[in-house]
Amino acid sequence: MGEAARDTIIGIDLGTSNSCAAVASESGEVRLIPYKGGDFIIPSIFAIDDKGNELIGHEAKRQWQLNPRNTLYATKRLIGRSPMDDVVETVQHSVQYRVHAGARNDVELDCQGRSFQVSEVASRILAKIRDVASDNLGFRVTRAVVTVPAYFTDRQRQAVKEAGKLVGLEVVRIINEPTAAALAYGLGKNLRERVLVYDLGGGTFDVSIIDIRDRVFEVKATAGDIFLGGIDFDNALIAYVLADFRRKHGVDLSADPVAMQRIKDLAERTKIDLSSRAEAPFSIPFITMTPQGQPLNIDMRLDRALLEQLTEPLLDRSMEILARVLTDAGMSTGEIDKVMLVGGQTRMPAIQERLTAFFGRPPSKGVHPDEAVAIGAALYGWSLVAGGEQRLQLLDVIPMAIGIEQAGGGTHVVFGRNAAIPNARAISATNSRVGQTELVLRIVQGDHPEAVRNETLGEFTFSGVRPGPAGEVRLEILFEVNVEGILSVHARDLDTGREMKTTVRVTQS
Ligand code: AMP
């Protein structure tokens, strides 16, 4: 194995629908890594068939219609999430496999009678990408830069790292998808530009404002929604088709997983067709039978105007988020040099029209919407290995506040939304009881003033607090967020200087 090979860090775009990998040569030229047959995409799908074989990617997708209950897809939306809020319920409505609360305050997925943690599923997909890349490159790939939505919490980032670890893939760095796209666009062009990345992929939406100054990429503000993506556009179409069928035939197809899978497949294809055509047929023969044994068909024509009407609330939501990011950054539309489109769903003409109306000029076609993220990740991996003059500086922000739960249930914000990272902040605390030897902090991430409405990052217990009168033992708690947006916490006794042990316990809800 050559030196270059051993050092190589590939870039992986671990997408909700599809994943993709890229690699840079020693001189920094990037190419996407092809899968069999020249396809650059690996569907982010994991399945187990009747014989117990594990299938990943295209193999899993091919048998999807026939085995919908044991085919896990769009699982990225659940990675690093606790089963609180309506997450489990929301996802359960749109997938055919079973989703339930896991033992570690996480979400688990059932497949062929077995329960999987979401990071296990992600690890299978990462391993597949790693193996495809190793075959293609002719050496064993062991390191990668992996991208995540900018709007991912600390816990979601940790879960992606853990997924890599499970299969022996070192996730050298997690970077944000919009930042990676900006790298693919701007690196090596000696730019001085402010870009706004509008990234609408299969499952998630991110918008980031990034200042590019040659090799420095500085994120000014970011916002997003990890429950807004192409799948929701498909679901809007599916809901319409189901309602129409119910009206015509009095039959509810939503309880029939095989029928649902056929409708889902065609809904996505029709949605994509309607980006380039004004009208498309929506026909599925023999979708079900009447109680008398008569076959029933779906036979409709859909048009672009209808799709736009059905998905208008989704576009409205993305535009609200976009407006918020500009407000957060204190900028007007005129201060943005370029609007960049990333993610397959941005091919929908209505999205481009809305952005054109908002900014008064059309978005740029500067990057390939499906490939830019993996390319940016590979470029970053390359710069880490090359070092020296090739080093890139990525200055990012945290997407939502990080804080601790206060006694009254409020959130005490430690880092505000869009705080620059890396970052460190110390807060002081005192013991509240005589003889207290432990300090327990619940750390949350989210912008809600009520702590319980935010995502719990963990409960941190500092043991070994020096016993003393209430209010007299002074502690300093140091919060550090590293370049990847990952948090660590330490505590120190201010009088003795002693550092205290931290243990993290993920809370059971
Ligand atoms: P990505 O995660 O970036 O690969 O985005 C995948 C999403 O983009 C899926 O929901 C696709 O259905 C959607 N998509 C891909 N091509 C198009 C298109 N031409 N028009 C509308 N949506 C598309």
Side-chain angles (χ1 to χ4, degrees):
M1 187 195 290
E3 196 58 35
R6 196 156 2 101
D7 277 353
T8 301
I9 301 174
I10 65 165
I12 298 180
D13 168 5
L14 184 64
T16 308
S17 322
N18 296 305
S19 294
C20 179
V23 66
S25 69
E26 252 174 290
S27 59
E29 266 157 59
V30 193
R31 65 180 179 89
L32 293 174
I33 297 175
Y35 186 50
K36 274 181 227 158
D39 195 351
F40 293 119
I41 273 165
I42 295 181
S44 309
I45 303 180
F46 170 77
I48 303 182
D49 68 15
D50 293 345
K51 300 189 189 72
N53 299 312
E54 291 192 1
L55 308 169
I56 302 158
H58 293 284
E59 289 82 8
K61 192 167 185 176
R62 262 197 295 278
Q63 53 86 67
W64 190 3
Q65 282 201 10
L66 298 172
N67 187 22
R69 289 220 184 273
N70 302 300
T71 303
L72 309 182
Y73 59 94
T75 59
K76 179 177 165 181
R77 285 181 151 183
L78 292 169
I79 198 161
R81 294 300 301 255
S82 39
M84 59 175 251
D85 296 338
D86 308 325
V87 172
V88 173
E89 218 178 300
T90 310
V91 171
Q92 189 64 84
H93 278 142
S94 64
V95 298
Q96 266 62 59
Y97 53 86
R98 189 169 163 258
V99 181
H100 57 94
R104 304 197 315 177
N105 189 36
D106 59 356
V107 177
E108 289 187 1
L109 317 169
D110 285 352
C111 189
Q112 213 64 267
R114 284 162 64 190
S115 225
F116 287 86
Q117 282 170 350
V118 186
S119 24
E120 285 179 89
V121 176
S123 74
R124 303 290 209 281
I125 296 164
L126 283 175
K128 175 80 178 183
I129 300 167
R130 188 252 333 261
D131 295 344
V132 166
S134 301
D135 281 352
N136 182 268
L137 296 171
F139 58 84
R140 188 156 177 77
V141 171
T142 56
R143 303 198 296 165
V145 168
V146 179
T147 59
V148 298
Y151 213 59
F152 257 21
T153 62
D154 162 89
R155 205 175 156 206
Q156 291 169 301
R157 288 162 200 267
Q158 303 257 26
V160 171
K161 282 208 130 176
E162 186 189 315
K165 207 179 283 167
L166 284 175
V167 289
L169 178 71
E170 186 194 349
V171 178
V172 181
R173 190 65 64 84
I174 297 273
I175 63 172
N176 290 334
E177 288 160 8
T179 315
L183 275 177
Y185 161 71
L187 192 62
K189 292 192 188 146
N190 196 14
L191 295 179
R192 289 227 160 351
E193 252 180 35
R194 173 169 292 161
V195 300
L196 180 140
V197 180
Y198 179 102
D199 179 358
L200 189 61
T204 57
F205 174 62
D206 272 336
V207 48
S208 293
I209 298 176
I210 304 173
D211 280 358
I212 307 176
R213 292 183 303 277
D214 191 20
R215 306 185 74 75
V216 180
F217 292 75
E218 181 178 3
V219 180
K220 306 304 280 185
T222 197
D225 185 341
I226 66 156
F227 277 89
L228 177 58
I231 295 171
D232 302 295
F233 288 70
D234 304 347
N235 287 343
L237 211 48
I238 293 167
Y240 176 83
V241 170
L242 291 179
D244 183 79
F245 195 82
R246 211 180 302 122
R247 205 171 43 242
K248 285 182 183 146
H249 303 288
V251 178
D252 178 11
L253 291 172
S254 66
D256 175 346
V258 173
M260 280 302 287
Q261 202 51 52
R262 293 174 72 193
I263 295 170
K264 208 179 258 294
D265 272 354
L266 187 60
E268 183 181 8
R269 274 187 278 131
T270 307
K271 172 194 76 174
I272 292 175
D273 275 355
L274 290 174
S275 286
S276 51
R277 304 163 55 174
E279 229 192 51
F282 196 102
S283 306
I284 307 179
F286 308 127
I287 190 80
T288 191
M289 299 249 228
T290 63
Q292 294 74 36
Q294 285 284 92
L296 291 175
N297 310 325
I298 296 181
D299 199 2
M300 319 165 64
R301 285 199 77 79
L302 302 178
D303 61 27
R304 188 187 287 176
L306 172 73
L307 176 68
E308 289 177 358
Q309 187 194 326
L310 295 173
T311 56
E312 198 175 346
L314 302 173
L315 284 195
D316 289 346
R317 226 157 92 202
S318 86
M319 295 308 288
E320 279 161 26
I321 295 171
L322 170 67
R324 189 184 98 182
V325 88
L326 282 163
T327 311
D328 278 358
M331 288 171 196
S332 66
T333 51
E335 289 170 277
I336 303 294
D337 296 317
K338 217 159 246 158
V339 177
M340 268 172 48
L341 299 179
V342 177
Q345 188 62 47
T346 60
R347 292 201 182 85
M348 183 183 190
I351 292 181
Q352 301 179 19
E353 286 156 20
R354 288 285 282 267
L355 289 169
T356 305
F358 189 81
F359 285 95
R361 70 208 124 103
S364 134
K365 300 259 156 76
V367 294
H368 190 296
D370 299 327
E371 300 174 356
V373 172
I375 288 176
L379 281 170
Y380 193 64
W382 170 78
S383 92
L384 289 175
V385 174
E389 292 212 331
Q390 312 300 346
R391 248 207 166 4
L392 285 170
Q393 219 182 333
L394 295 192
L395 304 168
D396 228 304
V397 297
I398 52 167
M400 54 198 118
I402 291 179
I404 49 178
E405 185 177 46
Q406 289 170 317
T411 308
H412 173 84
V413 174
V414 179
F415 299 104
R417 170 166 99 213
N418 288 318
I421 52 172
N423 208 329
R425 196 153 291 170
I427 61 167
S428 45
T430 54
N431 60 338
S432 51
R433 284 178 287 109
V434 187
Q436 182 180 348
T437 56
E438 257 191 4
L439 179 75
V440 180
L441 290 180
R442 202 164 77 87
I443 306 202
V444 296
Q445 187 162 20
D447 292 321
H448 206 281
E450 278 172 60
V452 289
R453 305 285 296 274
N454 294 320
E455 185 79 8
T456 300
L457 295 181
E459 219 168 68
F460 293 78
T461 303
F462 300 105
S463 43
V465 174
R466 182 167 52 86
E472 286 194 10
V473 180
R474 296 181 311 134
L475 303 172
E476 180 188 70
I477 302 151
L478 182 67
F479 293 78
E480 285 182 280
V481 184
N482 73 4
V483 286
E484 298 172 290
I486 292 179
L487 175 76
S488 61
V489 185
H490 307 270
R492 202 158 61 92
D493 184 320
L494 280 179
D495 301 316
T496 63
R498 198 160 70 89
E499 294 267 343
M500 261 171 284
K501 217 172 65 199
T502 60
T503 51
V504 181
R505 190 178 70 222
V506 174
T507 44
Q508 308 286 326
S509 63

